Amino acid sequence: METLKADMQRRLDARLIAAIAAAGSLSFCAVVFETALNVALPALMDEFGVGTATIQWITSGYLLMLAIMIPVFPYLKRRFPLRRLFVAAVALFLTGTLACGLAPAFALLLAGRVVQGMGTGIAIPLMFSLVVDQVPYDRMGLMMGFASLITSLAPAVGPTYGGIVIGLAGWRWVFLALVPLVAGAFCVGAACIRQATDLDRGRFDVAGFLLVAGGFFALVLGVNRSSGAGWLSAPVLGLLVLAAALIAAFAVHSLRVCDPLIDVRMFSCGAFACSVGVVALIAFAILAYAYLVPNYAQLALGADEMVAGTLLLPGCLGAVVLAPVGGRLLDAHGARVPIAVGMALLLAATVLYAACAARLTPMLLMGFYVLFGAGQGFAFSATMTNGLAQLPEAQRTGGSSVFNTLQQLGGSIGVSAVTAVVGAAQVGAQGAASLADATADGGAVAFALLAGIMVAAAVLSAASFALARRA
């Protein structure tokens, strides 16, 4: 094992940048698959004979596994060298990718996505751990922006890539064509990832893991089932109550054990807790729009796969370009400026979607998402960096895992909630015209929901700065 001395740990060089990029490549590929498949969902529903509520599990199942795996990373990081963890992540991700590409049935496609989630659930926190543990403090905002840029680039590439590949070769090649990129990431990461922290053989919090996993699963399943049963039905309410009970039990458990899976004491820092909420809500909207926009364009507006696949591209490119800019602004002037600008843009975009729901066209879908992507670029990584800065350094690796866990959980719930809203409107629709009208009606409700989510995010963002001033 290669352990760096304390005075060498924070050194920004080409090797560290390459290591961050290699770990981020798995997340990049996973999000490319996710957004590319959003373009193909109508075709997948026909091929496998499943409905809207079922097909969305290829996204929700993946994100749920991600949310379950990420809290385990702090234990894995203490127990195993980072290079070995990266190799395991690549092996899992590659296995899942091949299973998806060769899947003869929906069950195997879903299983492949879950295995991909296991691999990405190691790679994402590993990438941010490299930033938190090894990047000099005065470059932290820039490199958090770079890490976010890697994953922000994927939604820009995914829909266009999916539209082209699906049109030319079919949806299976969405997975198979990126296998060489995964292999290249493996070679770079295995050569460049270095160890900056010592290892120990601490105890794994099995009870905490089971409580968190059960709570997250019940929550996502409850939101998903609402599309058919309704929010006030006994099964849905039962699942939501079970989720709340399991998560509450985990919080109590965390306070009683010496080495919990997630140390809930860090939530006593109000500015950190509010920042986590903001990131989770933005992730809710990001993944919801990634599902909603291309499907709305196809089913409600009659756009083809190629057009639907390009609607998110300009906005995602804006997020890619502006993420490092937001990081540089944070390093130079503090977090308030990039976060305030970003939240204003996010709020404007979501309100415009909701206000213009009855008059949406493919061009308006694209234009409003340009505003959203710009807001994401300024606010998302800056909010994470600012939230982590409120914690003592010893808690920041755990804090990074909390951010990434609730980001994935927020995205999973976002996809499930929007799918539930649109799916409920589509129930009983017969014929193409009826399906288009139902999708438009459900989409209008979904756009209004996302506007409300972003209002809540803006309130939490303002509260985080108010609480930081009092601390």
Side-chain angles (χ1 to χ4, degrees):
M1 181 195 72
E2 177 187 4
T3 303
L4 299 182
K5 296 179 181 179
D7 61 350
M8 297 175 62
Q9 288 180 5
R10 300 195 175 274
R11 183 176 73 249
L12 184 58
D13 55 15
R15 182 176 173 183
L16 178 56
I17 294 172
I20 293 169
S25 294
L26 296 192
S27 175
F28 171 84
C29 290
V31 178
V32 165
F33 296 153
E34 184 177 315
T35 52
L37 287 176
N38 282 337
V39 178
L41 288 183
L44 288 172
M45 290 164 64
D46 288 339
E47 176 165 344
F48 292 117
V50 297
T52 299
T54 300
I55 199 68
Q56 66 88 25
W57 275 103
I58 64 173
T59 295
S60 290
Y62 161 79
L63 292 172
L64 179 61
M65 179 54 66
L66 219 58
I68 291 170
M69 282 296 299
I70 287 174
V72 179
F73 181 77
Y75 167 78
L76 296 176
K77 177 188 170 186
R78 295 193 303 268
R79 182 67 177 80
F80 302 104
L82 293 181
R83 188 176 291 120
R84 189 181 301 176
L85 291 176
F86 177 75
V87 170
V90 172
L92 287 166
F93 189 83
L94 189 58
T95 299
T97 299
L98 293 174
C100 289
L102 302 174
F106 178 75
L108 187 56
L109 175 63
L110 178 58
R113 288 290 283 159
V114 169
V115 174
Q116 281 184 330
M118 294 173 67
T120 317
I122 298 172
I124 289 178
L126 192 154
M127 174 180 67
F128 284 104
S129 177
L130 291 171
V131 175
V132 170
D133 291 343
Q134 300 185 29
V135 170
Y137 293 114
D138 62 348
R139 310 299 293 277
M140 188 75 72
L142 173 64
M143 292 310 298
M144 286 290 281
F146 173 70
S148 296
L149 180 152
I150 296 171
T151 52
S152 297
L153 180 61
V157 173
T160 305
Y161 165 80
I164 294 172
V165 172
I166 292 166
L168 294 176
W171 64 267
R172 296 180 187 278
W173 281 96
V174 168
F175 295 100
L176 299 177
L178 289 186
V179 169
L181 178 58
V182 177
F186 169 77
C187 295
V188 173
C192 295
I193 289 176
R194 57 194 176 200
Q195 192 74 23
T197 56
D198 294 328
L199 304 181
D200 64 59
R201 296 181 179 274
R203 183 182 63 86
F204 180 61
D205 183 10
V206 177
F209 174 77
L210 294 175
L211 289 170
V212 164
F216 287 175
F217 180 75
L219 179 58
V220 174
L221 182 60
V223 174
N224 176 262
R225 292 195 62 179
S226 66
S227 62
W231 288 99
L232 298 179
S233 65
V236 171
L237 288 177
L239 285 166
L240 296 180
V241 169
L242 175 62
L246 289 172
I247 293 171
F250 170 76
V252 173
H253 167 82
S254 175
L255 295 172
R256 293 178 175 176
V257 298
C258 297
D259 198 10
L261 191 70
I262 299 172
D263 187 358
V264 298
R265 294 174 183 86
M266 67 181 77
F267 285 98
S268 63
C269 174
F272 169 79
C274 287
S275 297
V276 170
V278 173
V279 166
L281 292 174
I282 295 175
F284 182 110
I286 291 171
L287 271 296
Y289 281 127
Y291 166 83
L292 182 59
V293 169
N295 280 278
Y296 187 95
Q298 290 181 82
L299 297 178
L301 303 180
D304 61 27
E305 291 175 343
M306 294 288 287
V307 171
T310 61
L311 295 180
L312 299 178
L313 179 61
C316 292
L317 289 176
V320 169
V321 171
L322 293 174
V325 174
R328 291 295 297 272
L329 283 173
L330 185 149
D331 289 335
H333 305 291
R336 186 179 299 275
V337 172
I339 292 176
V341 171
M343 292 308 302
L345 290 170
L346 288 168
L347 193 57
T350 53
V351 169
L352 283 170
Y353 271 123
C356 300
R359 302 182 298 278
L360 285 172
T361 64
M363 288 303 296
L364 286 177
L365 286 172
M366 179 186 290
F368 296 159
Y369 200 78
V370 170
L371 287 178
F372 185 88
Q376 176 189 342
F378 277 114
F380 194 76
S381 64
T383 299
M384 288 183 65
T385 305
N386 185 56
L388 289 173
Q390 311 306 315
L391 296 175
E393 184 173 355
Q395 291 184 325
R396 288 179 185 173
T397 296
S400 178
S401 289
V402 168
F403 267 115
N404 286 299
T405 297
L406 294 189
Q407 174 187 339
Q408 305 308 328
L409 183 63
S412 181
I413 295 172
V415 172
S416 296
V418 168
T419 303
V421 169
V422 176
Q426 291 172 339
V427 172
Q430 301 193 1
S434 177
L435 180 62
D437 290 341
T439 302
D441 291 342
V445 176
F447 287 128
L449 169 65
L450 292 170
I453 289 293
M454 207 47 56
V455 169
V459 170
L460 282 177
S461 185
S464 71
F465 285 106
L467 291 168
R469 283 198 302 270
R470 294 177 188 174

